[in-house]
Amino acid sequence: MITPPLTSPTEVMINMIAACFLIPFVFAFVFKAPKYVAFGFLAVLFIFADSTWGQLNTDSGNIYSRGVGLFYFSLLNIVLVIAGVGVLIRRLANPQGPQLAPPMNKYFLAFFFVMLGHVVIGLMVGIELDVILNLAGMINVINMFAFMYLLILAFENDKDTTTLLFMIIFVAVGRGIFGAVRYFLFEGDTSNPYRNFEGLDIKIFFFDISDNFVAALAAFCAAWLLTTPGIKLNIYTRIFLIGVVVLEVAAVALSFRRSSLIGIGLMFAFLFFRLPGKRKIFFACAAALALSIVATTFFEQRLQFNTTQGGGILSSLIYDISPSRSGGIKNSRFYELYAAAQSMDGHWLFGRGTWGTFTGDRERLAFHEGNWGFVHSGFGHLILKGGIVGVMIFIGMLASYVAFYLRYRKHLYGKAALLSDAGFAGFLFWIPTFLIGTPIIEFRTMLLFGLTMAMPFIAVGLQNYQVRTYIMRTQQYATA
C-alpha cells in the first residue's frame, strides 16, 4: 500500500544511494550468477516477517516497505523488477538455456495485458499511476511471476537445488527456534490480534501466514525424507529430521491460524497418499497422534473462545461461517464478500479496476479501518479488481500448474521428486489462504507462493540436467 512521501532528507539520500548502487549490481548478478540474487531474496523472505496487523505499536515500516514514499515501490520490489527484466534479457540472449515455465507464459502475458489495460483506462479517467499500481491492487501477481521465473533460471543443477533444500530446512529451524524462545520465555509474537484487539488471553507463535508456510514447508520436506522409500539416513539425521517435524508442526499449531492449520493438514494428507501401502499404516498412526495433540491444544488455547453452549471443535472452527448463526449472511464472515458483490453491478467482467473499492456496513466491517480496497479472499479480491477475466486467468494458471505437476511427477526421482512434491504441497497449503485470506495484497506471501509455483519446474530442469550429465559422461567413457 502507498505511504506518504518520506520527509527525512537522510532517508531520502540513503535510499537514493542504495538504488544507484544496488540496482545495477543486481542486474549484473542476474546475468553472471542469478542464484545469488535468488538466494538473497529467499533469505529475506524466510527470515523477515511482513505483517504488522495485530500490533499495538506499529513502527514506521520494515524491510519490505523500505524505499516506499520515495519511489512509490519498495527497494526490494524495484530490485525484483530489475531482476525480472534481467532474466528476460538473459533468456533471449541464450535460447538454449533453462525454459521459463512455458505453460505459464501465456497466463503471464494475459495478466500483463490486463494490467496494461487497467493502467491505460485509469490514466484516462484521471487516476494517478501510483494508485493504479498500488500493492492493494493486482501488481503482486506480476511480482509473483517475476520471482518464479528468477528461481527457475537460477537453480539448474544438483548443487544449487541441494543448497535450496538445505536452506528451506535450516533457515526454518532457526526461525522456529527464535519463535519458540519468544513463545515459551516471553509473550510470543507481538503481532497478536487475538490478545491486542479481541482481548483473548493467548500467546501465538507466528501470526504472519508466511511464517506458518515456511514452517510447514520445512516440516513437509523433513517428513518426506523420513518416510519415502529408498532414502538412506543415519540415526543422527533421522533424529534431527524428527525434531524438525515436531518443531515446525508446533509452530503452525501454536500460531492458531485456521487457514495454516488446514493448509498443513492438506500437505500431510498429500504425503500420506503418495506413500506405499505399508508405510501408510505407520504414517497414519503418527499423524493421528499428532493431530489429536494439535486439535486439543488448538481448542483449549483459542477455539474455546469461539464456541458457546458446549459446542465442540468443529462448531468452533466454523463459528463465524456456520449457517445456524442468527442474522444470516450479514452476521457471518461472508458478509464482506456479500458487500463486495453488491458493489460489482456493471463491473463483473473486468472489475472495478486495480484502484477499485467496495462499500458495506462500516460497523460490521470495522476491521477494515476505512480501507475498502481489499477483501478477505484472494479469488474475491481478483474479481473485485480484475473481474471475471482476471480471476479466470489466475485460475487457468493454477490449473496449468497442476496439470504440469501430474504430467511430469511420475518421471522424477531423488531430489527432483522432493522438490516437485514440496512445491505441490506448498500449493495445497495456500489454498485456504486464497479462499479466506488476503494473499494478493501481500508482497511476501505472493513471492513465497511464486516459490511453490517454481519448484516443480525447477525439479524438471534438475532431472533434465542429470540426464544430460549422465549422457555426457557415458559418451566420454565410450571415447576414452
Side-chain angles (χ1 to χ4, degrees):
M1 297 174 63
I2 302 301
T3 60
L6 298 175
T7 56
S8 168
T10 302
E11 285 190 334
V12 171
M13 183 61 67
I14 290 174
N15 284 307
M16 286 295 292
I17 293 174
C20 291
F21 284 94
L22 184 61
I23 293 174
F25 183 75
V26 171
F27 198 92
F29 256 96
V30 169
F31 273 87
K32 292 295 293 181
K35 64 182 178 182
Y36 293 118
V37 179
F39 280 129
F41 265 103
L42 288 172
V44 171
L45 295 171
F46 286 169
I47 295 172
F48 296 99
D50 187 16
S51 176
T52 58
W53 172 252
Q55 291 185 3
L56 292 176
N57 298 311
T58 58
D59 54 23
S60 58
N62 54 35
I63 192 171
Y64 300 103
S65 62
R66 182 59 58 192
V68 175
L70 177 63
F71 301 111
Y72 289 113
F73 288 102
S74 69
L75 283 174
L76 202 61
N77 202 158
I78 293 174
V79 169
L80 176 63
V81 173
I82 297 299
V85 174
V87 163
L88 179 61
I89 296 176
R90 190 177 190 270
R91 178 69 184 89
L92 294 174
N94 181 23
Q96 303 303 319
Q99 294 292 312
L100 295 180
M104 299 287 110
N105 290 342
K106 56 180 175 290
Y107 298 103
F108 167 70
L109 293 174
F111 209 91
F112 183 82
F113 180 77
V114 169
M115 283 294 301
L116 184 61
H118 281 251
V119 170
V120 172
I121 298 299
L123 293 175
M124 290 176 61
V125 299
I127 307 297
E128 296 183 4
L129 182 61
D130 61 285
V131 177
I132 299 172
L133 299 179
N134 192 340
L135 290 182
M138 301 187 295
I139 193 65
N140 277 330
V141 177
I142 302 296
N143 288 331
M144 178 210 73
F145 274 112
F147 190 59
M148 180 178 70
Y149 288 151
L150 172 63
L151 295 176
I152 293 171
L153 178 69
F155 306 129
E156 54 182 351
N157 58 48
D158 284 286
K159 183 178 180 180
D160 293 341
T161 49
T162 300
T163 303
L164 173 60
L165 291 171
F166 272 103
M167 184 178 187
I168 290 173
I169 293 177
F170 284 99
V171 174
V173 168
R175 183 77 173 149
I177 293 173
F178 162 76
V181 171
R182 186 175 60 175
Y183 181 86
F184 290 107
L185 300 183
F186 301 98
E187 292 301 313
D189 196 339
T190 56
S191 295
N192 186 348
Y194 311 124
R195 169 180 288 176
N196 297 335
F197 297 162
E198 300 177 25
L200 306 181
D201 185 21
I202 59 174
K203 296 189 295 185
I204 58 175
F205 211 99
F206 294 126
F207 180 74
D208 194 325
I209 193 68
S210 294
D211 283 325
N212 283 245
F213 167 73
V214 172
L217 186 63
F220 179 88
C221 290
W224 191 98
L225 290 169
L226 287 167
T227 58
T228 300
I231 303 296
K232 296 181 179 180
L233 304 171
N234 60 47
I235 185 63
Y236 302 106
T237 302
R238 286 187 176 277
I239 293 174
F240 170 74
L241 291 177
I242 291 172
V244 172
V245 174
V246 172
L247 173 64
E248 304 305 340
V249 170
V252 175
L254 296 175
S255 295
F256 304 115
R257 300 292 302 269
R258 285 179 294 176
S259 56
S260 59
L261 193 62
I262 295 171
I264 196 173
L266 292 174
M267 294 175 78
F268 278 85
F270 164 69
L271 179 59
F272 172 78
F273 285 112
R274 287 214 61 85
L275 293 176
K278 293 183 179 179
R279 293 189 177 235
K280 282 184 178 180
I281 299 175
F282 171 77
F283 185 84
C285 293
L289 176 62
L291 180 61
S292 63
I293 296 173
V294 169
T296 302
T297 303
F298 202 75
F299 179 77
E300 290 180 349
Q301 296 295 317
R302 181 193 171 188
L303 295 184
Q304 59 171 319
F305 299 106
N306 300 328
T307 185
T308 58
Q309 299 177 352
I313 293 178
L314 180 60
S315 63
S316 301
L317 281 170
I318 61 173
Y319 76 98
D320 56 352
I321 61 175
S322 174
S324 62
R325 285 174 57 93
S326 60
I329 195 170
K330 290 189 176 181
N331 283 340
S332 75
R333 185 185 182 97
F334 294 131
Y335 171 70
E336 182 187 28
L337 296 178
Y338 172 80
Q342 295 295 104
S343 302
M344 290 296 293
D345 187 32
H347 298 277
W348 282 102
L349 188 58
F350 296 107
R352 299 192 64 87
T354 58
W355 59 92
T357 60
F358 73 102
T359 58
D361 188 309
R362 291 181 176 272
E363 184 177 350
R364 291 191 175 95
L365 299 175
F367 57 87
H368 270 265
E369 298 181 343
N371 181 1
W372 306 101
F374 71 96
V375 295
H376 282 78
S377 169
F379 298 114
H381 184 84
L382 287 173
I383 294 176
L384 174 67
K385 302 293 183 173
I388 299 297
V389 171
V391 78
M392 290 308 296
I393 293 173
F394 193 80
I395 291 174
M397 176 198 71
L398 299 183
S400 179
Y401 169 84
V402 173
F404 181 89
Y405 171 80
L406 295 176
R407 178 182 179 184
Y408 288 97
R409 173 58 182 89
K410 57 182 175 289
H411 303 297
L412 302 178
Y413 55 87
K415 283 180 291 186
L418 172 55
L419 273 173
S420 185
D421 286 348
F424 190 76
F427 165 75
L428 295 177
F429 175 92
W430 288 119
I431 289 177
T433 301
F434 272 93
L435 291 174
I436 62 173
T438 58
I440 304 296
I441 66 174
E442 299 168 3
F443 180 79
R444 184 191 186 198
T445 295
M446 289 304 290
L447 262 60
L448 287 174
F449 183 65
L451 168 64
T452 67
M453 297 292 288
M455 290 175 78
F457 294 98
I458 297 172
V460 172
L462 171 62
Q463 190 91 340
N464 292 338
Y465 169 83
Q466 292 171 335
V467 171
R468 290 196 304 269
T469 302
Y470 174 79
I471 293 175
M472 290 175 59
R473 289 176 178 174
T474 302
Q475 292 175 343
Q476 290 174 353
Y477 289 136
T479 56

